[in-house]
Amino acid sequence: MKANSDMSEDDIRAGGCLCGAVRFSVQGAPLRVGLCHCQDCRRASGSAFNFFGVWSRSAYKGAGELRTFEGRSFCPDCGARVASLRDDEAEIMLGALDLAPS
């Protein structure tokens, strides 16, 4: 992923779930990125940590049905976790992006 200073507000990143039923895009640089290794994130991701980026909710556009469990949204068809959507922010699972962050 480019450093925030290298991104313009016009840059758009796209992604989706494993089966393709859910698609999304985020525009501009993320507000923040992080790795979480709390027990909930480890269990939800099935990994040692969760790699995420947070954009303002207005930068997020999505298509397809999402189901949510305790704030974590996922595709009801394939079960892939793609986002956590709140009124003000969209937390995106960076592994769900079409192009891997670099």
Side-chain angles (χ1 to χ4, degrees), residues 27 43 46 55 68 70-71 77 84 91:
Q27 184 173 359
R43 286 184 175 172
W55 279 261
T68 302
E70 294 194 12
D77 294 330
S84 294
E91 179 180 298

Side-chain angles (χ1 to χ4, degrees), residues 11-93:
D11 285 342
I12 296 175
R13 298 182 190 287
C17 67
L18 182 61
C19 72
V22 174
R23 295 293 300 161
F24 68 86
S25 66
V26 286
Q27 184 173 359
L31 301 172
R32 60 189 180 279
V33 296
L35 296 171
C36 184
H37 60 275
C38 77
Q39 186 175 32
D40 286 350
C41 283
R42 289 193 324 265
R43 286 184 175 172
S45 69
S47 180
F49 58 86
N50 177 34
F51 183 32
F52 63 92
V54 177
W55 279 261
S56 69
R57 186 66 167 86
S58 62
Y60 171 89
K61 292 188 177 28
E65 180 185 358
L66 287 173
R67 297 264 172 82
T68 302
F69 177 78
E70 294 194 12
R72 294 172 171 90
S73 296
F74 57 93
C75 172
D77 294 330
C78 68
R81 195 166 155 232
V82 294
S84 294
L85 303 176
R86 297 179 289 281
D87 290 339
D88 59 339
E89 292 182 333
E91 179 180 298
I92 303 302
M93 304 306 101

